[in-house]
Amino acid sequence: MTRTIAIANQKGGVGKTTTCVNLAASLAAMKKRVMLVDLDPQGNATMGCGVDKYAIEQSIYDVLVHEAPVADVRCTAGEAGFDVLPANGDLTAAEVELLQVDGRERRLRASLARVREDYDYILVDCPPSLNMLTVNGLVAADGVIVAMQCEYFALEGLSALLDTIRRVAESVNPALEVEGILRTMYDPRNSLTNEVSSQLHEHFGDRVFRTVVPRNVRLAEAPSHGMPAMYYDKYSRGSRAYLALAGEMIRREERLAAAGGSD
């Protein structure tokens, strides 16, 4: 069964795009069929996959606004072995243009439905704000991975995001749920990190991924080379963390499927 997962947090700089690119590469390395959907007008995920956002003829803007088929717009992320639905600055105009469209919050969901069976995982990189693009990502998704740093203000932002997820689930997408909380830029030597991490476990239990993504210079360097970290330095701690996250996700889904089959 295909899982569409939005990676979201309205706070910027928490590792959403890094997570989306490297998780896509890790799942693809585990022989899963993956597509990354870049919903951020900055197009950082697109560039981080090795796709030149300035050279593409069509982008997700055309999918959302002009209903271009995803199959015509998607491209391949080089040797990483997954597909990309790319974004560039054109996407900035999409939010305004979508305001005049009926069912605007369902545009992405409807477009992805036509290619859903081509993939095991569709990962959606949401922009760092709770706008119409993010809402499209949440409406299209089955689950949400919340990427967050273990710091005080991150907890405040988390409550706003969870409220948005609840509203979307109540009004448009009842299947939507929190897939997991992913702790990024993790430094166990920091007492605040450990304190916030404990609070997350207390409130969310096993929805907090066991895998943590450490602060790692290779993760920061890889996008400038247009490749996921595992192709830039597969032995780095960052690369190993995302491979571990992919493995944890797959095992979790296998357990859920087994539990469902035994009912």
Side-chain angles (χ1 to χ4, degrees):
M1 254 181 84
T2 305
R3 291 283 291 168
T4 300
I5 300 170
I7 296 165
N9 193 326
Q10 76 274 26
K11 192 174 186 297
V14 297
K16 286 189 306 298
T17 298
T18 298
T19 294
C20 210
V21 170
N22 288 287
L23 181 56
S26 297
L27 288 167
M30 295 179 176
K31 307 303 181 188
K32 299 297 181 181
R33 300 169 302 156
V34 183
M35 180 168 68
L36 183 156
V37 178
D38 191 351
L39 261 189
D40 191 338
Q42 295 178 85
N44 289 338
T46 299
M47 297 290 278
C49 295
V51 177
D52 186 352
K53 66 181 180 181
Y54 301 106
I56 55 177
E57 293 183 6
Q58 287 185 300
S59 72
I60 193 170
Y61 165 84
D62 299 282
V63 172
L64 293 174
V65 176
H66 302 304
E67 297 185 288
V70 171
D72 293 347
V73 179
R74 65 190 174 189
C75 48
T76 305
E79 64 178 318
F82 60 89
D83 288 343
V84 182
L85 192 52
N88 56 23
D90 292 348
L91 193 54
T92 306
E95 190 161 12
V96 176
E97 295 183 44
L98 284 173
L99 291 175
Q100 293 147 74
V101 175
D102 288 335
R104 54 188 173 269
E105 70 280 355
R106 295 181 175 88
R107 275 294 176 100
L108 181 62
R109 182 185 185 121
S111 296
L112 293 179
R114 300 183 188 109
V115 297
R116 189 174 168 91
E117 292 185 2
D118 295 348
Y119 300 102
D120 300 307
Y121 290 94
I122 299 174
L123 304 181
V124 183
D125 184 30
C126 294
S129 57
L130 298 178
N131 58 18
M132 182 51 62
L133 295 173
T134 300
V135 170
N136 259 272
L138 296 178
V139 172
D142 304 306
V144 183
I145 290 178
V146 181
M148 63 175 288
Q149 288 179 260
C150 290
E151 56 182 32
Y152 174 72
F153 290 116
L155 286 175
E156 286 196 336
L158 179 60
S159 62
L161 177 59
L162 292 175
D163 186 54
T164 301
I165 293 170
R166 178 182 58 78
R167 288 169 187 251
V168 170
E170 288 175 354
S171 60
V172 193
N173 183 8
L176 185 65
E177 60 183 6
V178 175
E179 183 90 4
I181 310 288
L182 176 66
R183 294 161 290 168
T184 59
M185 304 178 193
Y186 194 82
D187 184 357
R189 298 168 300 179
N190 187 318
S191 59
L192 181 59
T193 293
N194 293 315
E195 185 180 326
V196 172
S197 192
S198 296
Q199 289 184 43
L200 288 173
H201 277 292
E202 188 178 322
H203 286 97
F204 298 99
D206 59 6
R207 281 192 291 177
V208 179
F209 285 111
R210 292 173 60 189
T211 304
V212 298
V213 180
R215 287 191 179 276
N216 181 242
V217 69
R218 295 298 193 220
L219 287 176
E221 290 172 350
S224 66
H225 296 270
M227 61 179 72
M230 68 181 296
Y231 291 96
Y232 178 61
D233 182 353
K234 64 181 179 182
Y235 298 111
S236 68
R237 290 192 305 143
S239 299
R240 294 201 303 268
Y242 281 111
L243 281 168
L245 176 63
E248 185 176 351
M249 283 176 58
I250 291 169
R251 287 192 301 275
R252 183 186 285 189
E253 302 222 353
E254 287 172 347
R255 282 198 303 270
L256 288 173
S262 63
D263 288 344

